[in-house]
């Protein structure tokens, strides 16, 4: 039993160390990307900024720079370095467990706004890089949009299961609406261009999602 406990303890320490390293690398890379752009951010520069060996950086991101950029996006999206699927995170679990459909969507709106606020600067860098032909940037953006659509479909599938969708609205069509309403472009129009506060946008998003998706 003592040996099993020791192995479990050592495994936990290694996991925590790996997560801390992932987070440190992602934060260093994100800062460099936002400050100097995608093209000027190098693997050696990130390693130096993160305080890790270049070999450690490549071990953490075995695909090179495209893998590094994906790490930055994933960690920024999640808000931490833990390798836990979004569906298993507390914010998502709270949406599933909330019995009231309108409050479900209010929680969903709050989660979406928090993510959009974190991911915005990285998304702008990636859009600029994709427009300039940066290696892997366009593919990563396309992949993140597919993931967003999948996440929207999980939400609306759940709403359909509990009988909350308005009559005649399919889960797939509802997912399209949720996907569009929670896009970074809509967020930027309201917050950056129209100068709404984040709280005003979140309130609008929750009300608009409820009006579009839920049964009266």
């Amino acid at each position: 039993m003592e040996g099993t406990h020791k192995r479990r303890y050592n495994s936990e320490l290694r996991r925590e160390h790996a997560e801390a390293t992932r987070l440190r690398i992602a934060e260093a890379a994100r800062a460099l990307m936002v400050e100097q752009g995608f093209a000027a951010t190098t693997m050696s520069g990130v390693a130096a900024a993160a305080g890790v060996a270049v070999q450690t950086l490549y071990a953490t991101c075995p695909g090179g720079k495209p893998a590094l950029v994906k790490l930055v996006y994933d960690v920024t999206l999640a808000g931490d370095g833990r390798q836990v699927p979004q569906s298993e995170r507390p914010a998502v679990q709270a949406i599933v467990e909330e019995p009231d459909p309108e409050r479900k969507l209010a929680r969903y709106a709050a989660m979406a706004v928090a993510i959009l606020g974190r991911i915005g600067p990285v998304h702008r860098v990636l859009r600029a890089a994709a427009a300039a032909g940066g290696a892997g940037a366009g593919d990563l953006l396309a992949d993140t949009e597919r993931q967003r659509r999948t996440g929207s479909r999980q939400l609306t599938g759940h709403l359909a299961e509990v009988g909350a969708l308005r009559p005649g609205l399919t889960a797939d069509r509802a997912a399209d609406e949720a996907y569009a309403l929670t896009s970074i472009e809509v967020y930027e129009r309201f917050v950056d261009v129209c100068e709404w506060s984040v709280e005003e946008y979140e309130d609008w998003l929750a009300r608009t999602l409820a009006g579009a998706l839920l049964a009266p």
Side-chain angles (χ1 to χ4, degrees):
M1 291 294 293
E2 183 179 348
T4 301
H5 177 75
K6 185 175 181 179
R7 286 194 297 272
R8 187 180 300 116
Y9 177 75
N10 289 337
S11 177
E12 183 69 14
L13 283 179
R14 287 194 296 271
R15 183 186 62 78
E16 291 177 357
H17 177 72
E19 288 176 352
T21 300
R22 278 168 49 85
L23 182 60
R24 192 161 69 251
I25 288 171
E27 289 178 340
R30 180 173 61 232
L32 289 176
M33 286 172 55
V34 171
E35 177 184 348
Q36 61 190 29
F38 178 87
T41 300
T42 64
M43 297 293 279
S44 59
V46 171
V52 301
V54 173
Q55 296 92 327
T56 301
L57 180 57
Y58 276 98
T60 305
C61 307
K65 191 170 181 180
L68 172 63
V69 177
K70 187 174 190 316
L71 173 65
V72 170
Y73 195 96
D74 289 347
V75 168
T76 305
L77 178 75
D80 58 51
R82 296 184 302 136
Q83 292 182 286
V84 178
Q86 194 73 8
S87 61
E88 297 177 13
R89 289 179 174 269
V92 175
Q93 292 301 311
I95 293 168
V96 173
E97 293 168 5
E98 170 58 56
D100 182 79
E102 286 194 17
R103 288 198 293 268
K104 279 183 188 293
L105 289 178
R107 288 181 180 274
Y108 182 77
M111 180 183 71
V113 169
I115 290 172
L116 290 167
R118 290 195 301 268
I119 210 69
V122 175
H123 204 277
R124 286 190 286 273
V125 169
L126 290 176
R127 292 202 303 263
D139 291 340
L140 176 57
L141 285 176
D143 185 54
T144 61
E145 289 304 296
R146 284 191 291 270
Q147 291 176 11
R148 281 210 322 109
R149 291 197 71 183
T150 298
S152 297
R153 182 60 178 79
Q154 290 171 344
L155 166 72
T156 58
H158 170 63
L159 290 173
E161 287 176 4
V162 299
L165 289 182
R166 63 178 170 81
L169 181 64
T170 66
D172 285 339
R173 181 55 62 92
D176 291 343
E177 295 186 33
Y179 164 76
L181 288 169
T182 56
S183 69
I184 187 72
E185 291 82 5
V186 172
Y187 174 85
E188 289 176 342
R189 295 300 183 276
F190 279 107
V191 176
D192 297 338
V193 179
C194 298
E195 299 183 342
W196 283 25
S197 70
V198 171
E199 293 76 17
E200 288 171 327
Y201 170 73
E202 181 182 322
D203 178 68
W204 172 86
L205 179 59
R207 288 185 291 104
T208 303
L209 284 169
L213 305 184
L214 300 183

